[in-house]
Amino acid sequence: MSTFISEPGTRLGGRYRLEDRIAAAGGWAAWKAIDEILARAVTVFTFAPGFPRIREVVTAARAASRLTDARLTQVFDVEDDWDRAYIVMEWAVGEPLDDLLAAGPLDPSSGAQIVAEAAAALSVAHAAGLAHLCLVPGSLRWTPGGGVKIVGLGIDAALAGTTVDDPALADTRGLARLLYAALTGHWPGPDGAALPTAPVADGLPRSPRQVRAGVPTALDDITCRALFQQDRRGGSALTTPGQLAGALAAVIPRTPPPTAAPPMAPWRAVEFGDTGPIPGGDGEYWPRDGVAAGQRDRARPQRSGGRPSRQGGRPPVSGIKVGVVVVLVLAVVAAVTAAALALRPTHQPGRQGGHSPSASATGSAAATVLVPQQARGFQETSNGAGLAIDNRPGTAWQTQYYIGNPVFGGLKTGSGLILDMGKAVGLSSVTIQFGPTFGANVAIEVGNDGSRTRASLATFTTVAQADNLGGTHTFSSQSTATGRYVLIWFTRLPPEAHGPKNHYEAEIFNIIVKGSG
């Protein structure tokens, strides 16, 4: 029989229970599954009857299983019966590069170190005779532990039927595109989807320094030597991942190892306007964009202008060691800010939380079902986002899971799912089927900026909100605000369904949007 199963709950090999389909194309599907023997999440690939490249995919998976480099997604199991073939791989937890770049380019040193580590990992793979060949921003992830994880080694190319004459050169240029994206926030090619396309001159993407001010000359030269096979000054080409890793290592500033932070008493994450305890937290948390307990001394990739990304770890970047005095100051500032916010008038330009009761309500007009054109993560993973709008209650988009604190592990203050409606709409209601566990705090917002940056968040208007949600909930809107984009914004996550008690994760199985437009 075929292993291309469309229903969650199917068990393969007596141990791998399929839970959610996260991707599918051309005769294959990728699933989030649970290894019931080892009680851990895994990725499972299944195949439709007659899938023409199944032999190549299974062969690539077997070859990849021999690699043990932690920066490469591990292959755990392969069933090579052609009629029932499946592949079981590590569930790669982490934020894809395109999601990291949603708020803008990374600090040049941090971006270069991420790509240098990826290049070093692919150099190990090439030494073993394996190549990736299909590198895109989603292939490179920044893990919760603070390192790099490359997904799809060999398997992505086999699934797509991609072959090249010079695998080393192909992967070097692929890494250079990732470096270009990290430095500029633009993608120098047609297949970067979530990122804006790099500007072009004379048929080639402009160099990173021409796109973004402040890119160091050395990194600009290395990018051009790997991507264009020469820099604009006539330098020698970089043709292998090992050469690229070495060139980057030679110019990235070294940062001294972090020193131990002084011991601190456990405390909760500080939220503006929050005066009560956060139930369910059982760790030590830093306010707003801090890091969770046990991760204080891990540096995080930095965005342009010093804005931190999600999670800590390698590569080391310059940062401020926060002590007890600074923590107390931050808590006082948060309390003062909360008081100031409470005194503001309800109506404000940009991001709003209220509406005029005397205004004509969108909900009073005849409401029709509005069909979203696309769904993507907003400060959150986009993997499986389309499953939230496929009108199939058995499939779901999930946030990443966070440990120890329902407010995103103390790492940030919100994330969500943004729907592109294709045109400006007014909302009367949004019905969402969440996961079975309660505890989600959610706002529904509308706006016209789909760039998914922190700046764009301020332009959205809140039209409905509710707390402690689970199961199916209908948000009713009386607001006259309109916009092309509908944002489902989480400020608190529920406990992960069937997960450890200190893990928090939101799920959206289905969304029905009603209104006018």
Side-chain angles (χ1 to χ4, degrees):
M1 68 177 179
S2 165
T3 61
F4 191 81
I5 306 297
S6 59
E7 295 298 327
T10 301
R11 284 176 174 78
L12 302 177
R15 64 186 291 183
Y16 306 115
R17 186 181 74 249
L18 304 184
E19 289 201 329
D20 296 301
R21 191 176 65 181
I22 57 177
W28 60 267
W31 297 80
K32 180 179 183 181
I34 296 297
D35 180 345
E36 295 183 324
I37 292 181
L38 296 180
R40 64 181 178 183
V42 293
T43 300
V44 174
F45 285 87
T46 62
F47 307 95
F51 179 67
R53 293 181 296 277
I54 190 168
R55 189 176 298 275
E56 290 82 354
V57 176
V58 169
T59 300
R62 285 196 176 279
S65 70
R66 296 193 292 269
L67 298 177
T68 58
D69 193 303
R71 297 167 296 189
L72 305 172
T73 306
Q74 304 297 294
V75 176
F76 295 146
D77 196 2
V78 176
E79 170 57 63
D80 59 4
D81 184 319
W82 308 123
D83 293 328
R84 300 190 302 273
Y86 59 84
I87 297 168
V88 181
M89 303 185 67
E90 172 187 2
W91 178 255
V93 177
E95 197 159 8
L97 181 60
D98 47 1
D99 283 357
L100 280 176
L101 296 175
L106 300 180
D107 170 81
S109 178
S110 299
Q113 290 196 39
I114 290 174
V115 176
E117 190 169 353
L122 283 183
S123 180
V124 172
H126 278 260
L130 292 174
H132 195 291
L133 307 185
C134 293
L135 288 167
V136 294
S139 306
L140 182 58
R141 301 191 178 189
W142 181 249
T143 71
V148 164
K149 182 73 71 174
I150 298 173
V151 300
L153 178 69
I155 294 175
D156 283 359
L159 288 170
T162 301
T163 60
V164 299
D165 293 332
D166 190 338
L169 178 59
D171 275 352
T172 303
R173 298 190 69 181
L175 288 162
R177 283 189 282 269
L178 298 180
L179 178 59
Y180 189 108
L183 295 174
T184 68
H186 290 71
W187 183 250
D191 51 356
L195 300 178
T197 302
V200 175
D202 299 325
L204 292 175
R206 292 185 177 273
S207 73
R209 281 176 62 85
Q210 293 174 322
V211 177
R212 175 194 169 198
V215 174
T217 300
L219 293 180
D220 185 84
D221 291 346
I222 290 172
T223 305
C224 293
R225 288 166 61 194
L227 182 57
F228 308 124
Q229 292 301 289
Q230 66 175 20
D231 71 318
R232 305 292 165 94
R233 298 168 181 79
S236 60
L238 298 171
T239 60
T240 70
Q243 290 177 1
L244 177 58
L248 289 172
V251 301
I252 297 172
R254 293 182 179 274
T255 303
T259 57
M264 297 174 56
W267 65 298
R268 61 182 181 86
V270 176
E271 291 290 316
F272 287 136
D274 177 22
T275 57
I278 296 180
D282 53 3
E284 176 180 321
Y285 312 122
W286 293 78
R288 300 186 67 76
D289 286 312
V291 291
Q295 296 179 324
R296 291 192 302 271
D297 297 326
R298 297 179 181 174
R300 292 182 293 176
Q302 298 290 315
R303 304 210 184 268
S304 174
R307 292 172 292 159
S309 68
R310 269 199 51 237
Q311 199 121 7
R314 291 189 313 256
V317 294
S318 60
I320 300 174
K321 299 289 187 273
V322 183
V324 174
V325 174
V326 177
V327 169
L328 293 176
V329 171
L330 287 175
V332 172
V333 170
V336 173
T337 305
L341 290 174
L343 296 176
R344 289 190 310 175
T346 301
H347 289 288
Q348 306 220 6
R351 188 176 179 86
Q352 300 181 33
H355 61 271
S356 172
S358 62
S360 60
T362 302
S364 63
T368 59
V369 174
L370 305 174
V371 180
Q373 303 299 302
Q374 186 183 42
R376 293 197 61 82
F378 194 119
Q379 305 295 326
E380 189 57 73
T381 178
S382 293
N383 290 342
L387 300 177
I389 58 173
D390 64 358
N391 288 321
R392 300 175 60 194
T395 63
W397 168 80
Q398 298 166 315
T399 67
Q400 298 184 73
Y401 71 83
Y402 299 84
I403 300 175
N405 183 344
V407 186
F408 305 92
L411 302 174
K412 55 187 177 184
T413 56
S415 74
L417 190 71
I418 188 168
L419 310 181
D420 183 353
M421 307 304 295
K423 60 182 179 180
V425 300
L427 300 182
S428 62
S429 68
V430 179
T431 300
I432 303 177
Q433 180 186 348
F434 297 102
T437 58
F438 285 74
N441 292 358
V442 182
I444 305 298
E445 312 195 0
V446 295
N448 287 296
D449 188 341
S451 61
R452 298 182 295 141
T453 64
R454 292 185 182 181
S456 72
L457 184 62
T459 69
F460 278 72
T461 299
T462 301
V463 300
Q465 59 188 20
D467 294 342
N468 195 31
L469 299 179
T472 300
H473 181 83
T474 296
F475 299 83
S476 296
S477 170
Q478 300 297 317
S479 173
T480 59
T482 62
R484 173 175 172 173
Y485 299 95
V486 175
L487 175 60
I488 302 164
W489 187 247
F490 291 89
T491 55
R492 183 187 179 89
L493 301 175
E496 180 184 359
H498 313 299
K501 67 177 182 179
N502 64 336
H503 282 206
Y504 299 89
E505 173 188 78
E507 299 176 293
I508 295 180
F509 285 83
N510 203 35
I511 302 172
I512 299 175
V513 181
K514 291 184 179 180
S516 60

